[in-house]
Amino acid sequence: MSAFLIYKLILVGSVFGITLFVAAYSTYAERKVAAFLQDRVGPDRAGPFGIFQPLADGMKFIYKEEIIPVVSNKFLFVLGPCLAMLTAMMAGVLIPWGNTLIIDGQTYSLQIADLNVGILYVFGVVSIGVYGIMIGGWASNNKFSLLGAIRASAQMISYEIAMGLSIIALIIMTGTLSLGEISAQQAGGIGSDWNAWNVVKQPLGFLIFIVCAFAECNRTPFDLPECETELVGGYHTEYSSMKLGFYLFAEYINMFVSSAVISTLYFGGYNFPFMNDLGLDHNTLSIIGTLVLFAKISFFIFFFMWIRWTIPRFRYDQLMNLGWKVLIPLSVANIFLTGLVMILTNNKQ
């Protein structure tokens, strides 16, 4: 029992540390990707090739003057960024970061917790994240911050509906809500079993999900809550020092977790092509699978950044029309189409 607890504590600490590391260096990667796409150099002063830039940014946030507006609700003003950061970190506990490891005859899972309602937990935690933004915007007692918070909450609620409906089609097909089981069902992947990955079976569901993920993370072209040209700085206009850092950091953690969820649900998770034909031992395959998963996550993080520096943001009415008039009807149609295919497949069998 003590060995199991120690292993879980090590796993929790590892996931926590990796999440913070990836989020920190995503800020560096964002600047480098933006510089590459715009034919610039990007950060190059803090360390070789600017690799210490995230550390410099962190020190800047820590040492900047911390200002709390006199007319704000001080308790809620502090609670907002803390809640945004907490909910961003909580979603990672259900991601299967790899297959099992066998050590001294004991089997250890590379997943902190595998709930039979895992997808519902992830959606529940993501939904709570709206409160961190709304509380921060309202507690600032700034009309522009409040407008940004209202935009954010309306946008996230709208796109959560389409995202949830797109997942229903996947649940109908897989027959489970467990992220671990969904990942295990995709063993092999495009290779020895070319149609194992869910993106092959649910291309429309994947397209809807990734568009909604952009909106959930407040990433361009869905960054209306913090568009500087209209709302100064959006819901975190009045924030400074580490409280502002928490809001900005939470966005990158959400982007990392969203990439991990997309990779797990639609791209096989830790599974990779021809993995069962290599003749490697179980632990080696598990380690390679974990590296493959992080490679997939890195690609989607790059994709988030690529889109940001390529496509201009929507107007707010265009954003809401896309969510309510396009994505929700498409996700409902995808559910009916998936059910019809399942019925026809079962009848043939």
Side-chain angles (χ1 to χ4, degrees):
M1 186 64 180
S2 59
F4 176 78
L5 289 176
I6 292 172
Y7 173 75
K8 284 296 183 182
L9 288 174
I10 293 173
L11 187 59
V12 169
S14 300
V15 171
F16 180 77
I18 290 171
T19 301
L20 293 180
F21 176 83
V22 171
Y25 273 86
S26 291
T27 63
Y28 171 76
E30 177 108 69
R31 295 181 180 189
K32 282 295 188 181
V33 169
F36 173 75
L37 293 176
Q38 298 171 1
D39 198 20
R40 296 186 288 109
V41 176
D44 63 345
R45 300 299 178 89
F49 306 103
I51 59 173
F52 296 143
Q53 187 64 45
L55 302 179
D57 290 339
M59 295 298 291
K60 179 191 73 173
F61 278 122
I62 291 172
Y63 285 104
K64 282 187 74 172
E65 181 180 4
E66 185 170 354
I67 299 173
I68 299 179
V70 176
V71 292
S72 66
N73 184 315
K74 292 180 175 55
F75 173 73
L76 295 180
F77 189 81
V78 174
L79 179 64
C82 295
L83 192 58
M85 189 72 174
L86 177 64
T87 54
M89 294 295 300
M90 286 173 62
V93 300
L94 290 185
I95 304 296
W97 301 104
N99 206 342
T100 56
L101 289 175
I102 300 175
I103 304 173
D104 292 333
Q106 296 290 325
T107 301
Y108 298 96
S109 174
L110 291 178
Q111 186 177 11
I112 296 174
D114 186 12
L115 303 179
N116 56 0
V117 289
I119 293 179
L120 294 181
Y121 170 86
V122 171
F123 273 85
V125 168
V126 169
S127 300
I128 296 173
V130 179
Y131 290 99
I133 294 173
M134 194 65 206
I135 288 173
W138 184 84
S140 300
N141 199 20
N142 179 306
K143 299 301 183 292
F144 292 106
S145 298
L146 181 60
L147 283 172
I150 292 172
R151 278 187 171 192
S153 57
Q155 170 180 317
M156 295 174 78
I157 290 170
S158 300
Y159 281 81
E160 277 172 10
I161 297 172
M163 181 182 279
L165 291 174
S166 69
I167 288 297
I168 289 176
L170 184 65
I171 294 169
I172 292 173
M173 192 185 65
T174 59
T176 180
L177 289 166
S178 167
L179 289 173
E181 290 183 25
I182 291 174
S183 188
Q185 287 179 12
Q186 300 175 78
I190 302 167
S192 55
D193 186 7
W194 70 272
N195 64 344
W197 288 2
N198 289 328
V199 67
V200 178
K201 305 171 185 177
Q202 284 287 318
L204 180 57
F206 161 70
L207 181 62
I208 295 169
F209 190 92
I210 196 169
V211 171
C212 293
F214 274 88
E216 287 289 300
C217 296
N218 290 332
R219 298 285 300 184
T220 308
F222 303 102
D223 63 336
L224 274 298
E226 50 190 77
C227 53
E228 295 84 357
T229 52
E230 300 171 37
L231 300 175
V232 186
Y235 57 89
H236 49 58
T237 298
E238 299 292 346
Y239 282 90
S240 60
S241 189
M242 274 309 293
K243 291 193 290 297
L244 174 62
F246 277 1
Y247 270 129
L248 301 180
F249 218 57
E251 177 182 318
Y252 284 96
I253 293 175
N254 284 326
M255 188 167 64
F256 169 65
V257 172
S258 295
S259 299
V261 171
I262 292 169
S263 301
T264 300
L265 293 180
Y266 292 99
F267 285 84
Y270 52 80
N271 298 296
F272 56 94
F274 305 106
M275 59 183 291
N276 299 321
D277 303 326
L278 298 177
L280 300 175
D281 64 273
H282 180 80
N283 286 353
T284 303
L285 272 179
S286 296
I287 295 170
I288 295 175
T290 299
L291 296 177
V292 168
L293 173 61
F294 276 95
K296 295 174 184 176
I297 292 171
S298 300
F299 169 77
F300 282 110
I301 290 176
F302 167 74
F303 186 70
F304 273 89
M305 298 174 182
W306 184 12
I307 293 297
R308 174 175 181 177
W309 299 104
T310 305
I311 301 177
R313 69 169 60 100
F314 295 138
R315 293 198 316 265
Y316 192 68
D317 62 314
Q318 293 173 328
L319 177 141
M320 298 305 286
N321 282 336
L322 178 64
W324 287 97
K325 296 181 179 179
V326 178
L327 293 183
I328 291 178
L330 273 179
S331 56
V332 172
N334 189 45
I335 293 173
F336 281 103
L337 184 61
T338 302
L340 181 62
V341 171
M342 294 287 291
I343 291 170
L344 293 176
T345 303
N346 291 334
N347 288 339
K348 286 182 181 180
Q349 294 176 352

